[in-house]
């Protein structure tokens, strides 16, 4: 009964497409204007911060920033000057660094508050009264080489000096291959937060200007900081799109010309693609969903499905026209079949994308929602608008001399393409069981091989590579990418300096900070630290409210007396009435530093542990958990390394969960649809075989290509199901139609030649259209393009080579009962003379 009710609805839609085509076109154009109004409201979001939302470790990190930031009207931002030379400790190089510091300080628009460098330390050692940069420059200029070397040797144990020098620092014959200077800027505190995580940063214009200033000094000094990072987060997207979009358009147009072979049909298909994109991104603006970096993949995905729908619609219509039907009847017959197939494809693809809703990462969830909405819009545009517009155009062709090129369908009998597409039919007739078993064994081997795929997440994923490929550098303007330095500088800092920017693990502690045993607890937790934590005399190199109290007591006799009064066991650690100790500490000169490690209400605290730069992230995270477990007071390990590791784990979880949900959801949906429409739920099993093959082969390709699960590729496996089912559904659906009227061999032959021809056209178009993403400056975008293109290719090959055998087995074990076709059992309209 449901089958006929659904057919009644299809007949109603057919009637609107064929008999009221102009009204349909007008409605879609009006809706395009409505969604187009939302394009101007689209907001962008980039960088790593977007992925950290709702991650517990990041929430702890954020609370640290909020609770322990100094309560001043102005905050601070910093710029690093990285100097490279055979020896940065020569007089010439020291003077270059001091000159760079001075020129930056003289610029009021750079808001320089203070500067620090190894060169300044040397100058102050030579002349303690050289407190200005002018005096420091004069001091170094007038000193002899021996005096400079002696000053350097005297600071060999000074951590404020050695921390600014590369690991190869040699105090005996003073030399180092690199050094860092830190320029501190005064910034409004509301602007300072979040810099470097993508998007706008108040330091970006400052550091851009600093680049030009430093270049006037000479030598090899580069500017590095959160403003430069934020700038490259944004520009890499623009540079990627400038390269990818024209190449994608070129390939898509080329293959569409081959597929359509008619200028008017080509323009119609392009208009429909543009309409689907306008609807999707207009919805993005109207729904106030920010456009993040993962959504760069949405347009290619919609193009992939839209091109497939368009080629199938036009090709099936041309087949029916070639059989002698007139314009209206041919479109009725085509849409009778294709609307059902499009509905199944849309349903399964939407399930594939919506499976990303299980992710704990907001950008991945937003991507799933927007992609799913876009696929639904694509269904309406190509299922209703394009057929209505095609009917209207072909009727105008009958009345007016509109140029017509080729109207023959792809894969017709006797064509070379038709012969190639039949390659899977013969094995399906002779040994279908062998074909399916071999395919499943290969799938199992690919999945086993894929268990070695790694997972990673870091800000480098969203930045251009340290060295752009030669073929990108050779591109003419405006396609040539800009000059990028951030990744190279990050790698240089991590390689040459012991204390990298991510070398801190922080514990965020809530409650019990006034408990008498709290400071003793902090002390015990720091004894015999794990291997990745830097230690001195078996005690962790840490900064906490305890170390600040101890440092103040060493310098302040009055405060030391108070500490002693509150120390019952005489070990130098207060263990009585801690609130009074804290109150006294905040009356000393250490108050600003103490405010960074103990909240104003004494309800929370932080502890910073320095970790070895050469330690792996996994080891650091594991040791951070050990430190957390040592405290009885509730604590959360956080910091850049811990947060990124947590996000990396969530990415893997998202990939596995979305894959499982997508496969289960797709299977259930196909079972219900085939049971509802055909009374043959077992057809879903045959439909899922090529999807399983494609998914496992894509996973295997990831390991073979050394591609890890990251923010982009985490969606690929679920996406493969969404796109791969497109190919298998069209084959299965056409087979049902043909098997109702023909024997098995004829049904398979007509299926792979008719539908396979359209599939080949859409496969080539989308593989090359998406494949151009490998040209993107952003490497993970290229990885995504490679894997998406591979998923479409594997889905096509599995549908042509494996699915015929699966269908042959299904036909054999289902009893070979005639099927009721999806659509009228007999057309109410007969074939018209070919000349019509």
């Amino acid at each position: 009964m449901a089958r006929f009710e659904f057919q009644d609805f299809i007949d109603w839609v057919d009637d609107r497409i064929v008999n009221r085509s102009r009204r349909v076109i007008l409605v879609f154009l009006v809706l395009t204007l409505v969604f187009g109004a939302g394009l101007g409201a689209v907001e962008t979001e980039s960088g790593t911060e977007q992925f950290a939302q709702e991650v517990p470790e990041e929430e702890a990190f954020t609370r640290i920033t909020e609770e322990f930031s100094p309560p001043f009207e102005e905050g601070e931002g910093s710029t690093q000057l990285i100097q490279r030379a055979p020896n940065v400790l020569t007089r010439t190089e020291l003077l270059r660094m001091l000159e760079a510091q001075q020129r930056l300080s003289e610029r009021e628009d750079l808001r320089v508050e203070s500067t620090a460098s190894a060169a300044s330390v040397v100058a102050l050692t030579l002349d303690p009264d050289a407190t200005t940069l002018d005096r420091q420059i004069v001091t170094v200029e007038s000193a002899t080489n021996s005096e400079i070397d002696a000053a350097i040797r005297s600071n060999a144990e000074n951590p404020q000096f050695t921390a600014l020098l590369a690991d190869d620092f040699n105090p005996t014959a003073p030399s180092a291959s690199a050094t860092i200077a830190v320029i501190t800027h005064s910034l409004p505190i509301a602007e300072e937060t979040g810099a470097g995580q993508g998007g706008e940063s108040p330091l970006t214009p400052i550091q851009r200007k600093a680049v030009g200033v430093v270049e006037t000094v000479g030598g090899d000094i580069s500017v590095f900081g959160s403003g430069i990072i934020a700038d490259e987060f944004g520009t890499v997207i623009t540079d990627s799109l400038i390269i990818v979009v024209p190449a994608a358009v070129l390939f898509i147009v080329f293959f569409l010309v081959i597929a359509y072979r008619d200028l008017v049909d080509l323009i119609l298909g392009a208009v429909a693609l543009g309409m689907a994109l306008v609807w999707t991104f207009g919805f993005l603006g109207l729904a106030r969903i920010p456009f993040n970096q993962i959504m760069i993949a949405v347009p290619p995905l919609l193009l992939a499905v839209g091109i497939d729908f368009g080629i199938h619609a036009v090709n099936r219509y041309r087949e029916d026209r070639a059989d002698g039907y007139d314009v209206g009847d041919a479109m009725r017959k085509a849409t009778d079949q294709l609307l059902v197939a499009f509905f199944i494809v849309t349903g399964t693809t939407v399930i594939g994308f919506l499976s990303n809703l299980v992710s704990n990462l907001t950008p991945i969830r937003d991507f799933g929602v927007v992609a799913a909405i876009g696929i639904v819009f694509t269904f309406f545009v190509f299922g209703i608008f394009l057929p209505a517009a095609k009917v209207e155009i072909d009727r105008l062709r009958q009345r007016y001399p509109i140029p017509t090129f080729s109207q023959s369908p792809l894969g017709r009998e006797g064509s070379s393409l038709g012969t190639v597409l039949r390659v899977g039919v013969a094995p399906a007739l002779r040994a279908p069981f062998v074909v399916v078993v071999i395919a499943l064994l290969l799938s199992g081997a690919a999945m086993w091989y894929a268990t070695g795929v790694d997972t990673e997440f870091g800000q480098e994923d969203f930045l251009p590579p340290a060295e752009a490929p030669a073929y990108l550098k050779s591109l003419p303007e405006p396609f040539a990418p800009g000059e990028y330095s951030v990744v190279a500088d990050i790698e240089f800092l991590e390689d040459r300096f012991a204390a990298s920017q991510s070398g801190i693990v922080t514990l965020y502690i809530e409650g019990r900070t006034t408990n008498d045993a709290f400071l003793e607890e902090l002390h015990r937790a720091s004894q015999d630290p794990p291997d990745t934590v830097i230690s001195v005399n078996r005690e962790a190199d840490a900064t906490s409210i305890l170390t600040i109290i101890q440092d103040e007591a060493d310098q302040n006799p009055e405060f030391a007396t108070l500490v002693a009064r509150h120390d019952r066991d005489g070990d130098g650690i207060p263990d009585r009435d801690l609130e009074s100790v804290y109150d006294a500490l905040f009356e000393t000169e250490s108050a600003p530093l103490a405010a960074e490690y103990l909240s104003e209400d004494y309800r929370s605290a932080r502890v910073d542990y320095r970790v070895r730069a050469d330690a792996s992230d996994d080891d650091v995270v594991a040791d951070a958990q050990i430190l957390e477990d040592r405290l009885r007071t509730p604590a959360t390990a956080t910091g850049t390394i811990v947060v990124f590791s947590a996000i990396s784990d969530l990415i893997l979880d998202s990939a596995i969960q979305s894959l499982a949900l997508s496969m289960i959801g797709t299977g259930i949906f196909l079972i219900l649809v085939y049971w509802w429409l055909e009374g043959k739920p077992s057809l879903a099993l045959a439909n899922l075989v090529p999807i399983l093959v494609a998914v496992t082969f894509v996973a295997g390709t990831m390991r073979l290509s050394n591609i890890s699960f990251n923010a982009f590729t985490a969606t690929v496996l679920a996406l493969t199901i969404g796109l791969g089912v497109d190919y298998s559904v069209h084959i299965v659906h056409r087979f049902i139609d043909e098997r109702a009227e023909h024997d098995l061999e004829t049904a398979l032959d007509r299926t792979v030649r008719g539908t396979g021809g359209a599939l080949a056209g859409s496969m080539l178009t989308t593989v090359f259209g998406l494949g151009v993403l490998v040209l993107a400056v952003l490497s993970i975008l290229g990885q995504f393009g490679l894997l998406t293109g591979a998923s479409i290719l594997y889905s096509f090959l599995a549908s042509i080579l494996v699915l015929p055998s699966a269908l042959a087995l299904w036909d054999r074990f289902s009893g070979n009962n005639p099927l009721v076709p999806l659509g009228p059992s007999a057309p109410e309209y007969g074939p018209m003379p070919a000349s019509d």
Side-chain angles (χ1 to χ4, degrees):
M1 182 66 180
R3 183 163 59 241
F4 297 108
E5 290 176 355
F6 186 76
Q7 186 58 50
D8 290 340
F9 174 73
I10 295 295
D11 289 340
W12 181 85
V13 175
D14 289 342
D15 179 69
R16 268 60 187 173
I17 291 173
V18 174
N19 297 325
R20 303 184 184 182
S21 56
R22 292 183 181 179
R23 190 173 300 178
V24 170
I25 294 170
L26 179 61
V27 169
F28 274 76
L29 292 177
V30 170
L31 288 173
T32 302
L33 292 176
V34 172
F35 284 113
L39 292 176
V42 176
E43 300 176 350
T44 59
E45 196 174 56
S46 62
T48 59
E49 189 177 44
Q50 54 184 315
F51 290 90
Q53 300 172 17
E54 302 178 27
V55 176
E57 291 81 358
E58 170 62 19
E59 291 176 353
F61 199 58
T62 301
R63 293 186 66 179
I64 287 174
T65 303
E66 294 172 350
E67 294 180 22
F68 304 115
S69 294
F72 304 138
E73 291 184 359
E74 290 201 337
E76 294 181 350
S78 64
T79 296
Q80 290 179 316
L81 304 183
I82 305 173
Q83 184 181 27
R84 302 171 177 88
N87 184 5
V88 295
L89 297 178
T90 63
R91 182 202 310 273
T92 300
E93 297 300 333
L94 291 173
L95 287 172
R96 277 177 175 160
M97 180 59 83
L98 290 171
E99 187 68 29
Q101 293 172 240
Q102 184 185 47
R103 294 185 187 183
L104 291 172
S105 299
E106 291 172 347
R107 292 280 298 268
E108 292 185 6
D109 56 336
L110 299 184
R111 303 173 65 101
V112 175
E113 190 174 78
S114 63
T115 67
S117 70
S120 291
V121 173
V122 171
L124 284 167
T125 303
L126 292 168
D127 180 4
D129 294 327
T131 56
T132 65
L133 288 169
D134 284 336
R135 184 75 177 269
Q136 290 174 7
I137 290 174
V138 172
T139 298
V140 174
E141 284 179 335
S142 59
T144 65
N145 290 335
S146 297
E147 290 173 333
I148 291 175
D149 288 347
I152 293 172
R153 292 190 189 98
S154 67
N155 285 284
E157 301 299 326
N158 180 2
Q160 293 182 338
F161 178 72
T162 57
L164 298 174
L165 295 172
D167 293 342
D168 59 3
F169 167 55
N170 181 3
T172 305
S175 66
S177 62
T179 184
I180 297 174
V182 179
I183 314 298
T184 303
H185 308 274
S186 173
L187 298 172
I189 196 166
E191 294 181 7
E192 194 266 333
T193 58
Q197 295 300 322
E200 294 297 324
S201 166
L203 283 171
T204 297
I206 289 176
Q207 291 175 355
R208 282 175 180 166
K209 294 174 184 176
V211 171
V213 173
V214 170
E215 285 177 349
T216 64
V217 175
D220 185 1
I221 303 178
S222 60
V223 177
F224 178 78
S226 59
I228 299 293
I229 293 175
D231 186 40
E232 291 197 9
F233 270 136
T235 56
V236 69
I237 297 177
T238 303
D239 286 352
S240 294
L241 291 177
I242 289 175
I243 296 171
V244 167
V245 171
V249 170
L250 183 65
F251 278 116
I252 288 173
V253 169
F254 174 75
F255 285 107
L256 284 180
V257 167
I258 296 175
Y260 286 124
R261 290 154 296 141
D262 183 84
L263 179 61
V264 175
D265 287 349
L266 175 63
I267 294 173
L268 177 59
V271 169
L273 289 172
M275 184 178 290
L277 292 174
V278 170
W279 283 29
T280 301
F281 287 96
F283 167 80
L284 203 69
L286 295 175
R288 292 290 189 266
I289 298 175
F291 181 90
N292 59 58
Q293 284 167 306
I294 296 183
M295 289 186 192
I296 295 175
V298 171
L301 296 175
L302 297 185
L303 291 176
V305 177
I307 288 169
D308 176 76
F309 281 7
I311 292 177
H312 271 92
V314 172
N315 199 64
R316 187 60 185 266
Y317 168 76
R318 287 180 178 180
E319 286 186 50
D320 295 327
R321 287 285 283 158
D323 288 339
Y325 294 99
D326 69 3
V327 171
D329 288 345
M331 188 57 74
R332 282 181 185 274
K333 192 171 188 297
T335 53
D336 270 345
Q337 305 298 324
L338 289 176
L339 281 177
V340 179
F342 288 174
F343 168 74
I344 298 174
V345 169
T346 300
T348 52
T349 306
V350 166
I351 289 172
F353 288 134
L354 289 184
S355 66
N356 290 298
L357 289 177
V358 300
S359 174
N360 289 318
L361 301 176
T362 301
I364 292 180
R365 292 201 303 269
D366 288 346
F367 166 78
V369 171
V370 172
I373 292 293
I375 293 300
V376 173
F377 288 159
T378 303
F379 166 74
F380 285 116
V381 170
F382 284 89
I384 299 175
F385 169 77
L386 185 140
K390 178 65 175 170
V391 166
E392 191 62 31
I393 288 172
D394 280 7
R395 284 174 175 165
L396 289 175
R397 274 175 165 161
Q398 293 177 339
R399 285 181 280 173
Y400 302 102
I402 298 176
T404 301
F405 298 89
S406 174
Q407 289 292 306
S408 61
L410 288 168
R412 63 188 183 277
E413 187 171 2
S415 67
S416 299
L417 178 59
T419 302
V420 172
L421 293 172
R422 294 188 76 257
V423 68
V425 174
L429 296 174
R430 292 182 175 86
F433 182 78
V434 174
V435 173
V436 172
V437 168
I438 290 175
L440 294 178
L441 288 175
L442 290 175
S443 295
M447 183 54 74
W448 173 82
Y449 180 70
T451 56
V453 176
D454 293 327
T455 307
E456 65 179 23
F457 180 84
Q459 65 180 3
E460 291 91 342
D461 291 341
F462 300 89
L463 291 167
E467 183 71 20
Y471 64 84
L472 290 181
K473 290 182 177 180
S474 63
L475 292 174
E477 293 294 342
F479 304 107
E483 294 293 328
Y484 299 110
S485 62
V486 168
V487 171
D489 286 342
I490 290 175
E491 292 176 350
F492 182 82
L493 290 172
E494 292 177 346
D495 180 56
R496 297 294 183 90
F497 292 83
S500 71
Q501 291 184 320
S502 298
I504 297 290
V505 166
T506 299
L507 292 186
Y508 174 68
I509 304 170
E510 294 183 276
R512 288 175 50 89
T513 62
T514 56
N515 185 286
D516 288 349
F518 177 69
L519 296 181
E520 293 277 8
E521 186 180 343
L522 292 185
H523 175 69
R524 285 194 300 271
S526 295
Q527 302 305 302
D528 294 319
D531 292 340
T532 63
V533 179
I534 298 174
S535 62
V536 179
N537 296 326
R538 299 179 65 183
E539 183 172 350
D541 184 355
T543 303
S544 67
I545 191 64
L546 172 60
T547 63
I548 296 170
I549 289 173
Q550 292 173 328
D551 290 345
E552 180 64 27
D554 290 341
Q555 303 172 15
N556 185 337
E558 182 180 349
F559 183 73
T561 301
L562 181 143
V563 169
R565 286 201 308 268
H566 291 79
D567 178 12
R568 287 179 290 198
D569 56 9
D571 62 354
I573 302 173
D575 52 14
R576 183 174 65 84
D577 190 15
L578 295 188
E579 190 168 347
S580 297
V581 177
Y582 298 153
D583 290 341
L585 179 65
F586 279 96
E587 297 296 327
T588 68
E589 293 182 356
S590 298
L593 181 60
E596 296 182 25
Y597 289 87
L598 184 68
S599 65
E600 187 177 359
D601 58 6
Y602 302 163
R603 292 183 179 179
S604 60
R606 66 182 277 197
V607 181
D608 289 343
Y609 294 93
R610 287 187 63 216
V611 296
R612 293 188 293 105
D614 59 350
S616 71
D617 288 354
D618 289 341
D619 290 341
V620 169
V621 173
D623 288 350
Q625 187 62 49
I626 293 174
L627 293 171
E628 178 184 321
D629 293 340
R630 287 183 177 183
L631 295 175
R632 287 180 294 176
T633 306
T636 302
T638 184
T640 304
I641 297 174
V642 177
V643 170
F644 281 2
S645 177
I647 296 174
S648 179
D649 291 341
L650 290 175
I651 286 174
L652 180 60
D653 291 343
S654 296
I656 296 173
Q657 292 172 5
S658 62
L659 173 63
L661 184 61
S662 181
M663 183 65 79
I664 293 171
T666 297
I668 293 174
F669 179 80
L670 289 175
I671 289 172
L672 292 176
V673 165
Y674 286 128
W675 173 76
W676 179 44
L677 296 177
E678 295 298 328
K680 298 286 185 179
S682 57
L683 270 170
L685 298 177
N687 214 324
L688 289 173
V689 170
I691 300 173
L692 179 63
V693 173
V695 169
T696 55
F697 272 54
V698 169
T701 300
M702 289 184 68
R703 182 177 178 184
L704 186 64
S705 304
N706 197 29
I707 297 175
S708 302
F709 281 118
N710 54 45
F712 272 67
T713 57
T715 64
V716 162
L717 297 184
L719 182 149
T720 300
I721 296 176
L723 292 179
V725 77
D726 187 358
Y727 290 84
S728 61
V729 162
H730 281 300
I731 292 285
V732 171
H733 183 65
R734 180 63 177 267
F735 174 77
I736 294 171
D737 184 25
E738 298 293 348
R739 188 67 180 94
E741 300 177 1
H742 304 285
D743 60 65
L744 178 61
E745 180 176 1
T746 304
L748 287 175
D749 180 74
R750 289 176 61 88
T751 295
V752 297
R753 281 193 296 103
T755 299
L759 289 177
S762 63
M763 180 274 294
L764 289 172
T765 306
T766 51
V767 164
F768 280 91
L770 291 170
V772 298
L773 289 175
V774 300
L775 301 176
V777 180
L778 192 61
S779 59
I780 61 172
L781 188 58
Q783 293 172 357
F784 180 82
L786 173 65
L787 294 177
T788 306
S791 71
I792 292 173
L793 177 61
Y794 293 150
S795 298
F796 169 77
L797 293 175
S799 295
I800 294 298
L801 300 176
V802 180
L803 185 52
S805 294
L807 289 172
L809 286 176
W810 175 86
D811 187 78
R812 178 185 302 176
F813 291 107
S814 66
N816 197 19
N817 296 320
L819 292 169
V820 178
L822 295 178
S825 57
E828 299 175 359
Y829 30 82
M832 302 295 292
S835 59
D836 189 46

